[in-house]
Amino acid sequence: MPYKTTIGNHTYRFDDLKTVLAKAAPYRSGDALAGLTAGSYEERVAAQMALADIALQDFLQQAIIPYESDEITRLIIDTHDAQAFAPVSHFTVGQLRDWLLSDAADTPTLQSLAPGLTPEMVAAVSKVMRNQDLISVARKCEVITRFRNTLGLKGHLAVRLQPNHTTDDPKGIAASIVDGLLYGSGDAVIGINPATDSPAITVQLLQLIDELRQQYDIPTQSCVLCHVTTALTIMPRAPVDLVFQSIGGTEQTNSSFGVNLSILQEAHEAALSLQRGTIGSNVMYFETGQGSSLSANAHGGVDQQTCEARAYAVARRFNPLLVNTVVGFIGPEYLYDGKQIIRAALEDHFCGKLLGLPMGVDVCYTNHAEADQDDMDNLLTLLGVAGCNYIMGIPGADDIMLNYQSTSFHDALYVRKVLGLRPAPEFEQWLVKQGIMNEAGNLLKVSGSHQLITSHL
Protein backbone atom coordinates (compact mmCIF):
# COMPACT_ATOMS: atom_id res chain seq x y z
CA MET A 1 0.00 0.00 0.00
CA PRO A 2 1.65 3.27 -1.09
CA TYR A 3 1.72 6.39 1.07
CA LYS A 4 1.97 9.92 -0.38
CA THR A 5 2.78 13.40 0.91
CA THR A 6 2.92 16.65 -1.07
CA ILE A 7 5.32 19.44 -0.12
CA GLY A 8 5.03 22.47 -2.35
CA ASN A 9 4.75 21.23 -5.92
CA HIS A 10 6.38 17.87 -5.25
CA THR A 11 4.55 14.70 -4.24
CA TYR A 12 6.61 12.08 -2.41
CA ARG A 13 5.52 8.47 -2.76
CA PHE A 14 6.52 5.68 -0.39
CA ASP A 15 5.69 2.23 -1.68
CA ASP A 16 4.97 0.48 1.62
CA LEU A 17 5.14 0.70 5.40
CA LYS A 18 8.73 -0.53 5.49
CA THR A 19 9.82 2.25 3.15
CA VAL A 20 8.07 5.08 4.95
CA LEU A 21 9.52 3.89 8.29
CA ALA A 22 13.03 3.92 6.85
CA LYS A 23 12.72 7.28 5.10
CA ALA A 24 11.20 8.91 8.22
CA ALA A 25 14.10 7.88 10.46
CA PRO A 26 16.58 10.56 11.56
CA TYR A 27 19.74 10.29 9.45
CA ARG A 28 22.31 7.74 10.55
CA SER A 29 25.26 6.13 8.82
CA GLY A 30 23.93 2.57 9.03
CA ASP A 31 20.76 3.33 7.12
CA ALA A 32 22.82 5.22 4.53
CA LEU A 33 25.12 2.21 4.22
CA ALA A 34 22.06 0.03 3.58
CA GLY A 35 20.64 2.48 1.03
CA LEU A 36 17.51 3.04 3.12
CA THR A 37 17.75 6.63 4.28
CA ALA A 38 15.85 9.56 2.79
CA GLY A 39 17.59 11.24 -0.12
CA SER A 40 17.11 14.73 1.32
CA TYR A 41 15.94 16.52 4.44
CA GLU A 42 12.73 17.43 2.63
CA GLU A 43 12.03 13.79 1.76
CA ARG A 44 12.60 12.85 5.41
CA VAL A 45 10.06 15.45 6.53
CA ALA A 46 7.62 14.21 3.89
CA ALA A 47 8.03 10.65 5.19
CA GLN A 48 7.47 11.82 8.76
CA MET A 49 4.31 13.62 7.68
CA ALA A 50 3.08 10.50 5.89
CA LEU A 51 3.97 8.34 8.87
CA ALA A 52 2.10 10.60 11.31
CA ASP A 53 -1.11 10.01 9.33
CA ILE A 54 -0.84 6.21 9.24
CA ALA A 55 -3.35 4.36 11.40
CA LEU A 56 -1.92 2.13 14.12
CA GLN A 57 -4.18 -0.63 12.78
CA ASP A 58 -2.05 -0.69 9.62
CA PHE A 59 0.85 -2.14 11.62
CA LEU A 60 -1.29 -5.16 12.48
CA GLN A 61 -2.25 -5.71 8.86
CA GLN A 62 1.07 -5.13 7.08
CA ALA A 63 4.09 -7.13 8.22
CA ILE A 64 7.33 -5.38 7.32
CA ILE A 65 9.06 -8.77 7.36
CA PRO A 66 6.80 -11.60 6.08
CA TYR A 67 4.91 -13.60 8.69
CA GLU A 68 5.63 -16.85 6.87
CA SER A 69 9.41 -16.47 6.88
CA ASP A 70 10.22 -14.81 10.20
CA GLU A 71 9.48 -16.15 13.69
CA ILE A 72 9.88 -12.69 15.22
CA THR A 73 7.03 -11.39 13.06
CA ARG A 74 4.94 -14.39 14.10
CA LEU A 75 5.76 -13.69 17.75
CA ILE A 76 4.72 -10.05 17.41
CA ILE A 77 1.42 -10.81 15.68
CA ASP A 78 0.46 -13.95 17.60
CA THR A 79 1.05 -12.44 21.06
CA HIS A 80 -0.52 -9.05 20.40
CA ASP A 81 -2.94 -8.11 23.20
CA ALA A 82 -6.00 -6.64 21.48
CA GLN A 83 -7.65 -5.72 24.77
CA ALA A 84 -4.66 -3.68 25.93
CA PHE A 85 -4.49 -2.04 22.49
CA ALA A 86 -8.19 -1.07 22.45
CA PRO A 87 -7.85 2.39 24.11
CA VAL A 88 -5.53 3.61 21.31
CA SER A 89 -6.69 1.37 18.47
CA HIS A 90 -8.36 4.28 16.65
CA PHE A 91 -5.24 6.47 16.73
CA THR A 92 -2.86 7.39 13.96
CA VAL A 93 0.87 7.52 14.71
CA GLY A 94 0.66 11.28 15.15
CA GLN A 95 -2.30 11.01 17.49
CA LEU A 96 -0.44 8.43 19.55
CA ARG A 97 2.46 10.87 19.89
CA ASP A 98 0.16 13.66 21.09
CA TRP A 99 -1.59 11.35 23.56
CA LEU A 100 1.69 9.97 24.94
CA LEU A 101 2.80 13.51 25.74
CA SER A 102 -0.50 14.35 27.45
CA ASP A 103 -1.28 13.98 31.15
CA ALA A 104 -3.74 11.21 30.26
CA ALA A 105 -0.80 8.91 29.55
CA ASP A 106 0.33 8.45 33.14
CA THR A 107 2.44 5.63 34.55
CA PRO A 108 -0.33 3.07 35.28
CA THR A 109 -1.95 3.74 31.90
CA LEU A 110 1.33 3.20 30.05
CA GLN A 111 1.97 0.00 31.98
CA SER A 112 -1.45 -1.32 30.95
CA LEU A 113 -0.93 -0.27 27.34
CA ALA A 114 2.47 -1.93 26.83
CA PRO A 115 1.22 -5.41 25.77
CA GLY A 116 -1.03 -3.78 23.16
CA LEU A 117 1.78 -2.00 21.33
CA THR A 118 3.95 -3.63 18.69
CA PRO A 119 7.60 -2.77 18.09
CA GLU A 120 6.76 -1.22 14.73
CA MET A 121 4.20 1.08 16.36
CA VAL A 122 6.66 2.39 18.94
CA ALA A 123 9.44 2.71 16.35
CA ALA A 124 7.05 4.72 14.17
CA VAL A 125 6.01 7.12 16.90
CA SER A 126 9.62 7.65 17.95
CA LYS A 127 10.42 8.84 14.41
CA VAL A 128 7.99 11.77 14.76
CA MET A 129 9.27 12.81 18.19
CA ARG A 130 12.00 15.20 19.28
CA ASN A 131 14.58 14.17 21.87
CA GLN A 132 12.65 15.95 24.62
CA ASP A 133 9.52 13.98 23.66
CA LEU A 134 11.40 10.69 23.96
CA ILE A 135 12.70 11.73 27.38
CA SER A 136 9.34 13.00 28.64
CA VAL A 137 7.43 9.84 27.77
CA ALA A 138 10.13 7.40 28.88
CA ARG A 139 10.33 9.17 32.23
CA LYS A 140 6.65 8.36 32.83
CA CYS A 141 7.25 4.64 32.27
CA GLU A 142 8.16 2.43 35.23
CA VAL A 143 9.26 -1.15 34.64
CA ILE A 144 10.17 -3.00 37.85
CA THR A 145 12.00 -6.33 37.95
CA ARG A 146 13.36 -8.47 40.77
CA PHE A 147 15.85 -11.24 41.45
CA ARG A 148 17.79 -10.55 44.68
CA ASN A 149 16.96 -6.85 44.67
CA THR A 150 14.42 -4.50 43.15
CA LEU A 151 15.34 -2.69 39.94
CA GLY A 152 13.52 0.01 37.98
CA LEU A 153 11.82 1.96 40.76
CA LYS A 154 11.41 5.64 40.01
CA GLY A 155 14.08 7.73 41.69
CA HIS A 156 16.63 4.92 41.44
CA LEU A 157 19.47 4.21 38.99
CA ALA A 158 21.29 0.89 39.11
CA VAL A 159 24.75 0.06 37.77
CA ARG A 160 26.07 -3.07 36.14
CA LEU A 161 29.54 -3.66 37.56
CA GLN A 162 31.55 -4.77 34.51
CA PRO A 163 34.97 -6.08 35.68
CA ASN A 164 36.27 -7.44 32.37
CA HIS A 165 39.85 -8.63 31.98
CA THR A 166 41.88 -9.37 28.85
CA THR A 167 42.87 -12.86 30.08
CA ASP A 168 39.97 -13.56 32.48
CA ASP A 169 42.47 -13.37 35.34
CA PRO A 170 40.52 -14.01 38.59
CA LYS A 171 42.62 -11.62 40.66
CA GLY A 172 42.27 -8.80 38.16
CA ILE A 173 38.52 -9.37 37.95
CA ALA A 174 38.18 -9.56 41.73
CA ALA A 175 40.09 -6.29 42.11
CA SER A 176 37.70 -4.54 39.72
CA ILE A 177 34.68 -5.99 41.52
CA VAL A 178 35.89 -4.71 44.88
CA ASP A 179 36.68 -1.33 43.33
CA GLY A 180 33.17 -1.07 41.95
CA LEU A 181 31.48 -2.16 45.17
CA LEU A 182 33.38 0.48 47.11
CA TYR A 183 31.96 3.10 44.73
CA GLY A 184 28.40 1.83 45.16
CA SER A 185 28.17 0.00 41.82
CA GLY A 186 26.90 -3.53 41.21
CA ASP A 187 23.21 -3.47 42.08
CA ALA A 188 21.99 -4.23 38.54
CA VAL A 189 24.35 -7.18 38.17
CA ILE A 190 28.00 -8.08 38.54
CA GLY A 191 28.47 -9.10 34.92
CA ILE A 192 31.66 -10.29 33.25
CA ASN A 193 32.20 -10.45 29.50
CA PRO A 194 34.58 -13.43 29.29
CA ALA A 195 37.54 -13.25 26.94
CA THR A 196 36.62 -16.74 25.68
CA ASP A 197 33.47 -18.84 25.74
CA SER A 198 35.23 -21.66 27.61
CA PRO A 199 32.77 -23.53 29.87
CA ALA A 200 35.54 -24.18 32.43
CA ILE A 201 36.48 -20.50 32.70
CA THR A 202 32.83 -19.48 32.80
CA VAL A 203 32.25 -21.81 35.76
CA GLN A 204 35.37 -20.47 37.51
CA LEU A 205 34.25 -16.86 37.13
CA LEU A 206 30.70 -17.60 38.29
CA GLN A 207 32.10 -19.33 41.38
CA LEU A 208 34.34 -16.33 42.09
CA ILE A 209 31.42 -13.88 42.07
CA ASP A 210 29.14 -16.22 43.99
CA GLU A 211 31.72 -16.83 46.72
CA LEU A 212 32.18 -13.08 47.21
CA ARG A 213 28.42 -12.47 47.13
CA GLN A 214 27.70 -15.13 49.73
CA GLN A 215 30.62 -14.23 51.98
CA TYR A 216 29.41 -10.64 52.34
CA ASP A 217 25.70 -11.29 51.81
CA ILE A 218 25.50 -8.87 48.87
CA PRO A 219 21.93 -8.48 47.57
CA THR A 220 22.73 -8.61 43.88
CA GLN A 221 22.98 -11.09 41.04
CA SER A 222 25.82 -12.39 38.87
CA CYS A 223 26.24 -13.18 35.21
CA VAL A 224 29.07 -14.31 32.98
CA LEU A 225 27.98 -13.22 29.53
CA CYS A 226 28.62 -16.50 27.75
CA HIS A 227 26.51 -17.86 24.91
CA VAL A 228 23.14 -19.20 26.01
CA THR A 229 24.09 -22.75 24.99
CA THR A 230 27.18 -22.55 27.19
CA ALA A 231 24.97 -21.48 30.11
CA LEU A 232 22.71 -24.48 29.51
CA THR A 233 25.74 -26.78 29.47
CA ILE A 234 27.17 -25.57 32.79
CA MET A 235 23.95 -25.10 34.80
CA PRO A 236 24.21 -28.48 36.56
CA ARG A 237 27.58 -27.55 38.07
CA ALA A 238 27.70 -23.75 38.24
CA PRO A 239 25.92 -21.00 40.23
CA VAL A 240 24.05 -19.49 37.26
CA ASP A 241 21.87 -16.55 38.34
CA LEU A 242 21.03 -14.85 35.04
CA VAL A 243 21.13 -16.28 31.53
CA PHE A 244 22.58 -13.86 28.99
CA GLN A 245 22.15 -13.60 25.24
CA SER A 246 22.59 -11.01 22.49
CA ILE A 247 19.44 -10.82 20.38
CA GLY A 248 18.26 -9.10 17.21
CA GLY A 249 15.04 -8.13 15.53
CA THR A 250 14.86 -10.71 12.76
CA GLU A 251 14.97 -14.49 12.71
CA GLN A 252 17.98 -14.34 10.42
CA THR A 253 19.86 -12.03 12.83
CA ASN A 254 19.27 -14.38 15.73
CA SER A 255 20.39 -17.31 13.58
CA SER A 256 23.68 -15.47 13.07
CA PHE A 257 23.96 -15.33 16.87
CA GLY A 258 23.29 -19.08 17.04
CA VAL A 259 19.91 -18.77 18.77
CA ASN A 260 16.18 -18.92 18.13
CA LEU A 261 13.07 -18.59 20.25
CA SER A 262 13.07 -22.30 21.09
CA ILE A 263 16.61 -22.19 22.51
CA LEU A 264 15.79 -19.07 24.53
CA GLN A 265 12.66 -20.74 25.87
CA GLU A 266 14.69 -23.78 26.95
CA ALA A 267 17.22 -21.57 28.74
CA HIS A 268 14.49 -19.53 30.41
CA GLU A 269 12.79 -22.63 31.79
CA ALA A 270 16.10 -24.09 32.93
CA ALA A 271 17.10 -20.91 34.76
CA LEU A 272 13.69 -20.69 36.45
CA SER A 273 14.06 -24.27 37.67
CA LEU A 274 17.21 -23.34 39.61
CA GLN A 275 15.14 -21.00 41.83
CA ARG A 276 18.15 -18.87 42.77
CA GLY A 277 16.26 -15.59 43.02
CA THR A 278 15.24 -14.61 46.53
CA ILE A 279 12.62 -11.93 45.89
CA GLY A 280 11.80 -12.46 42.20
CA SER A 281 12.17 -14.71 39.20
CA ASN A 282 13.29 -12.44 36.36
CA VAL A 283 16.21 -14.58 35.17
CA MET A 284 17.13 -13.35 31.68
CA TYR A 285 19.59 -10.68 30.58
CA PHE A 286 19.50 -9.50 26.94
CA GLU A 287 21.74 -7.13 25.03
CA THR A 288 20.86 -5.43 21.76
CA GLY A 289 22.15 -2.66 19.53
CA GLN A 290 21.15 -0.74 16.43
CA GLY A 291 22.97 -2.06 13.38
CA SER A 292 23.25 -5.70 14.43
CA SER A 293 20.83 -6.89 11.74
CA LEU A 294 22.59 -4.83 9.07
CA SER A 295 26.03 -6.09 10.11
CA ALA A 296 24.70 -9.66 9.78
CA ASN A 297 23.13 -8.85 6.37
CA ALA A 298 19.83 -9.85 7.95
CA HIS A 299 17.77 -6.64 8.02
CA GLY A 300 15.44 -7.46 5.15
CA GLY A 301 15.32 -3.86 3.99
CA VAL A 302 14.14 -2.60 7.39
CA ASP A 303 15.86 0.42 8.94
CA GLN A 304 18.14 -0.27 11.88
CA GLN A 305 16.05 1.43 14.54
CA THR A 306 12.91 -0.52 13.61
CA CYS A 307 14.96 -3.74 13.61
CA GLU A 308 16.18 -2.79 17.08
CA ALA A 309 12.63 -2.28 18.35
CA ARG A 310 11.68 -5.71 17.00
CA ALA A 311 14.42 -7.24 19.15
CA TYR A 312 12.48 -5.95 22.14
CA ALA A 313 9.61 -8.27 21.21
CA VAL A 314 12.01 -11.17 21.71
CA ALA A 315 13.13 -9.80 25.07
CA ARG A 316 9.58 -9.11 26.23
CA ARG A 317 8.62 -12.73 25.61
CA PHE A 318 10.92 -13.90 28.43
CA ASN A 319 10.30 -11.33 31.21
CA PRO A 320 13.96 -10.33 31.62
CA LEU A 321 15.56 -8.75 34.65
CA LEU A 322 17.72 -6.56 32.39
CA VAL A 323 17.75 -5.39 28.79
CA ASN A 324 20.69 -3.32 27.60
CA THR A 325 21.17 -1.47 24.34
CA VAL A 326 24.93 -1.29 23.80
CA VAL A 327 24.30 1.77 21.77
CA GLY A 328 27.67 2.95 20.46
CA PHE A 329 29.59 -0.32 20.57
CA ILE A 330 28.94 -1.42 16.98
CA GLY A 331 30.90 1.49 15.54
CA PRO A 332 30.66 4.52 13.24
CA GLU A 333 29.56 2.46 10.22
CA TYR A 334 26.16 2.35 11.94
CA LEU A 335 26.14 5.35 14.30
CA TYR A 336 28.74 7.78 13.03
CA ASP A 337 29.12 10.41 15.73
CA GLY A 338 28.02 11.61 19.13
CA LYS A 339 24.81 13.13 17.80
CA GLN A 340 23.70 9.89 16.17
CA ILE A 341 24.64 7.84 19.26
CA ILE A 342 22.70 10.16 21.57
CA ARG A 343 19.60 10.07 19.39
CA ALA A 344 19.75 6.27 19.01
CA ALA A 345 20.10 5.75 22.77
CA LEU A 346 17.10 7.92 23.54
CA GLU A 347 15.07 6.09 20.87
CA ASP A 348 16.05 2.67 22.21
CA HIS A 349 15.31 3.58 25.80
CA PHE A 350 11.95 5.09 24.86
CA CYS A 351 10.89 2.16 22.68
CA GLY A 352 11.94 -0.46 25.22
CA LYS A 353 10.24 1.25 28.13
CA LEU A 354 7.03 1.82 26.15
CA LEU A 355 6.98 -1.90 25.32
CA GLY A 356 7.29 -2.74 29.01
CA LEU A 357 10.97 -3.62 29.20
CA PRO A 358 13.51 -2.85 31.97
CA MET A 359 15.83 -0.84 29.73
CA GLY A 360 19.39 0.01 30.53
CA VAL A 361 21.87 1.70 28.19
CA ASP A 362 25.58 1.19 27.77
CA VAL A 363 26.56 4.82 27.24
CA CYS A 364 29.49 4.08 24.99
CA TYR A 365 31.50 4.59 21.81
CA THR A 366 34.40 2.99 19.99
CA ASN A 367 37.69 4.79 19.60
CA HIS A 368 37.24 5.28 15.83
CA ALA A 369 33.82 6.99 16.17
CA GLU A 370 33.43 10.76 15.95
CA ALA A 371 32.48 10.96 19.62
CA ASP A 372 34.15 11.67 22.94
CA GLN A 373 33.48 11.53 26.66
CA ASP A 374 31.72 14.91 26.61
CA ASP A 375 29.11 13.37 24.30
CA MET A 376 28.75 10.51 26.75
CA ASP A 377 28.38 12.91 29.69
CA ASN A 378 25.52 14.58 27.84
CA LEU A 379 23.86 11.25 27.04
CA LEU A 380 24.33 9.94 30.58
CA THR A 381 22.61 13.02 31.99
CA LEU A 382 19.74 12.79 29.49
CA LEU A 383 19.19 9.11 30.30
CA GLY A 384 19.20 9.85 34.01
CA VAL A 385 16.46 12.42 33.43
CA ALA A 386 14.58 9.92 31.23
CA GLY A 387 14.45 7.31 34.00
CA CYS A 388 16.89 4.76 32.59
CA ASN A 389 16.92 1.60 34.73
CA TYR A 390 20.69 1.12 34.76
CA ILE A 391 24.03 1.99 33.18
CA MET A 392 27.49 0.41 33.08
CA GLY A 393 30.23 0.81 35.66
CA ILE A 394 33.72 0.10 34.30
CA PRO A 395 37.07 0.96 35.91
CA GLY A 396 38.08 4.31 34.42
CA ALA A 397 35.30 3.98 31.79
CA ASP A 398 37.84 2.10 29.61
CA ASP A 399 37.01 -1.55 28.94
CA ILE A 400 40.44 -3.08 28.40
CA MET A 401 39.05 -6.38 27.10
CA LEU A 402 36.32 -5.19 24.72
CA ASN A 403 38.38 -2.10 23.77
CA TYR A 404 35.70 0.57 23.92
CA GLN A 405 34.79 3.57 26.06
CA SER A 406 31.83 3.45 28.43
CA THR A 407 30.95 4.93 31.84
CA SER A 408 32.94 4.62 35.04
CA PHE A 409 32.02 4.12 38.69
CA HIS A 410 32.64 7.86 39.09
CA ASP A 411 30.20 8.64 36.28
CA ALA A 412 27.52 6.66 38.11
CA LEU A 413 28.19 8.66 41.27
CA TYR A 414 27.90 11.89 39.28
CA VAL A 415 24.53 11.18 37.73
CA ARG A 416 23.07 9.78 40.95
CA LYS A 417 24.20 12.86 42.85
CA VAL A 418 23.11 15.61 40.45
CA LEU A 419 19.71 14.02 39.80
CA GLY A 420 19.04 12.73 43.31
CA LEU A 421 18.94 9.07 42.23
CA ARG A 422 19.61 6.13 44.55
CA PRO A 423 20.84 2.55 44.15
CA ALA A 424 18.40 -0.35 44.35
CA PRO A 425 16.90 -0.16 47.86
CA GLU A 426 18.17 -3.54 49.13
CA PHE A 427 21.65 -2.83 47.75
CA GLU A 428 21.68 0.65 49.25
CA GLN A 429 20.87 -0.81 52.66
CA TRP A 430 23.82 -3.18 52.25
CA LEU A 431 26.13 -0.29 51.31
CA VAL A 432 25.09 1.58 54.46
CA LYS A 433 25.54 -1.53 56.61
CA GLN A 434 29.05 -2.06 55.20
CA GLY A 435 30.05 1.54 55.89
CA ILE A 436 30.55 2.25 52.20
CA MET A 437 27.77 4.83 51.93
CA ASN A 438 25.74 6.84 54.40
CA GLU A 439 21.97 7.15 54.43
CA ALA A 440 22.18 10.41 52.48
CA GLY A 441 23.76 8.51 49.60
CA ASN A 442 27.29 9.87 50.08
CA LEU A 443 30.37 7.64 49.99
CA LEU A 444 32.28 7.33 53.24
CA LYS A 445 36.03 7.32 53.76
CA VAL A 446 37.87 4.00 53.78
CA SER A 447 37.27 2.14 57.02
CA GLY A 448 37.81 -1.25 58.60
CA SER A 449 34.67 -2.63 56.97
CA HIS A 450 36.20 -1.87 53.58
CA GLN A 451 39.25 -3.89 54.57
CA LEU A 452 36.98 -6.89 55.17
CA ILE A 453 35.94 -6.80 51.53
CA THR A 454 39.43 -6.16 50.19
CA SER A 455 40.71 -9.14 52.18
CA HIS A 456 38.94 -11.29 49.59
CA LEU A 457 41.83 -10.48 47.26
Side-chain angles (χ1 to χ4, degrees):
M1 175 181 175
Y3 300 93
K4 299 178 182 179
T5 299
T6 299
I7 297 180
N9 295 321
H10 187 82
T11 297
Y12 291 90
R13 175 189 168 101
F14 309 100
D15 290 338
D16 51 28
L17 198 53
K18 178 168 61 176
T19 302
V20 75
L21 282 166
K23 301 289 188 183
Y27 180 83
R28 61 206 55 191
S29 53
D31 289 337
L33 181 65
L36 300 175
T37 192
S40 66
Y41 187 87
E42 184 175 279
E43 184 184 17
R44 182 170 299 109
V45 171
Q48 290 169 338
M49 291 169 64
L51 186 59
D53 289 336
I54 293 175
L56 296 183
Q57 290 282 357
D58 283 16
F59 294 91
L60 300 175
Q61 297 163 5
Q62 297 183 52
I64 61 172
I65 297 178
Y67 182 94
E68 298 76 17
S69 61
D70 187 272
E71 68 173 0
I72 311 308
T73 299
R74 294 194 291 275
L75 173 69
I76 291 167
I77 298 301
D78 295 348
T79 62
H80 180 250
D81 189 331
Q83 184 175 354
F85 179 58
V88 299
S89 61
H90 58 291
F91 283 173
T92 63
V93 171
Q95 288 171 330
L96 177 61
R97 172 199 175 271
D98 293 345
W99 178 82
L100 288 171
L101 290 167
S102 75
D103 292 337
D106 58 15
T107 299
T109 303
L110 292 175
Q111 289 172 329
S112 299
L113 176 65
L117 296 175
T118 70
E120 291 85 356
M121 291 176 193
V122 301
V125 76
S126 76
K127 295 174 193 294
V128 296
M129 299 176 92
R130 294 168 56 187
N131 285 1
Q132 68 171 249
D133 299 339
L134 300 174
I135 293 167
S136 297
V137 176
R139 184 175 176 83
K140 294 192 285 186
C141 298
E142 184 179 46
V143 183
I144 300 169
T145 55
R146 295 178 176 89
F147 191 80
R148 290 197 188 95
N149 58 28
T150 306
L151 301 173
L153 293 167
K154 287 187 177 181
H156 295 258
L157 177 69
V159 183
R160 170 189 159 187
L161 203 171
Q162 185 170 306
N164 297 344
H165 193 279
T166 52
T167 62
D168 289 333
D169 178 65
K171 283 190 175 293
I173 288 171
S176 293
I177 292 174
V178 170
D179 188 24
L181 290 172
L182 294 179
Y183 279 102
S185 292
D187 44 350
V189 63
I190 300 175
I192 304 168
N193 295 90
T196 73
D197 207 44
S198 161
I201 291 176
T202 300
V203 171
Q204 181 185 24
L205 296 179
L206 284 169
Q207 290 172 338
L208 183 157
I209 305 173
D210 203 56
E211 179 185 342
L212 178 64
R213 180 189 65 79
Q214 292 196 61
Q215 183 173 352
Y216 297 103
D217 196 25
I218 308 172
T220 191
Q221 36 283 329
S222 64
C223 185
V224 174
L225 281 66
C226 60
H227 193 269
V228 63
T229 54
T230 303
L232 280 166
T233 299
I234 65 173
M235 275 186 194
R237 64 183 192 277
V240 176
D241 286 347
L242 306 183
V243 172
F244 167 82
Q245 183 56 47
S246 294
I247 55 173
T250 71
E251 180 177 342
Q252 192 177 353
T253 306
N254 287 325
S255 294
S256 75
F257 292 152
V259 298
N260 55 38
L261 295 177
S262 177
I263 291 172
L264 294 175
Q265 179 68 33
E266 180 184 357
H268 184 228
E269 293 174 359
L272 286 173
S273 72
L274 299 176
Q275 297 184 325
R276 291 181 57 82
T278 54
I279 65 169
S281 57
N282 300 111
V283 296
M284 303 298 284
Y285 176 12
F286 295 115
E287 284 191 351
T288 66
Q290 287 193 31
S292 61
S293 292
L294 176 57
S295 69
N297 195 27
H299 59 92
V302 178
D303 69 274
Q304 64 184 41
Q305 190 249 334
T306 303
C307 280
E308 170 73 5
R310 283 170 55 91
Y312 303 156
V314 179
R316 183 166 65 173
R317 170 66 181 81
F318 300 103
N319 300 312
L321 182 77
L322 307 165
V323 179
N324 174 35
T325 170
V326 193
V327 66
F329 182 72
I330 200 165
E333 299 85 357
Y334 306 93
L335 295 169
Y336 179 73
D337 56 15
K339 181 176 182 178
Q340 291 185 19
I341 291 170
I342 289 170
R343 172 68 190 191
L346 295 177
E347 290 170 347
D348 294 351
H349 179 253
F350 162 85
C351 289
K353 280 291 188 65
L354 200 54
L355 289 167
L357 287 175
M359 289 301 295
V361 178
D362 191 342
V363 179
C364 64
Y365 63 101
T366 57
N367 289 317
H368 62 312
E370 289 294 321
D372 59 27
Q373 214 63 33
D374 285 338
D375 294 315
M376 298 305 104
D377 286 348
N378 294 340
L379 176 54
L380 175 62
T381 307
L382 293 173
L383 288 167
V385 174
C388 187
N389 278 29
Y390 71 102
I391 59 168
M392 305 298 113
I394 297 170
D398 182 10
D399 192 303
I400 60 172
M401 195 277 285
L402 293 175
N403 196 29
Y404 78 118
Q405 306 302 311
S406 185
T407 44
S408 71
F409 307 136
H410 298 82
D411 295 327
L413 288 178
Y414 148 74
V415 75
R416 281 173 172 170
K417 192 172 187 67
V418 298
L419 297 178
L421 302 171
R422 309 299 285 263
E426 300 88 348
F427 190 79
E428 183 175 33
Q429 292 169 13
W430 178 82
L431 292 171
V432 172
K433 181 180 178 181
Q434 291 290 325
I436 295 171
M437 183 179 286
N438 63 23
E439 293 186 358
N442 299 315
L443 288 183
L444 299 174
K445 292 183 179 180
V446 173
S447 65
S449 61
H450 295 171
Q451 293 169 10
L452 288 175
I453 295 179
T454 56
S455 69
H456 187 80
L457 296 173

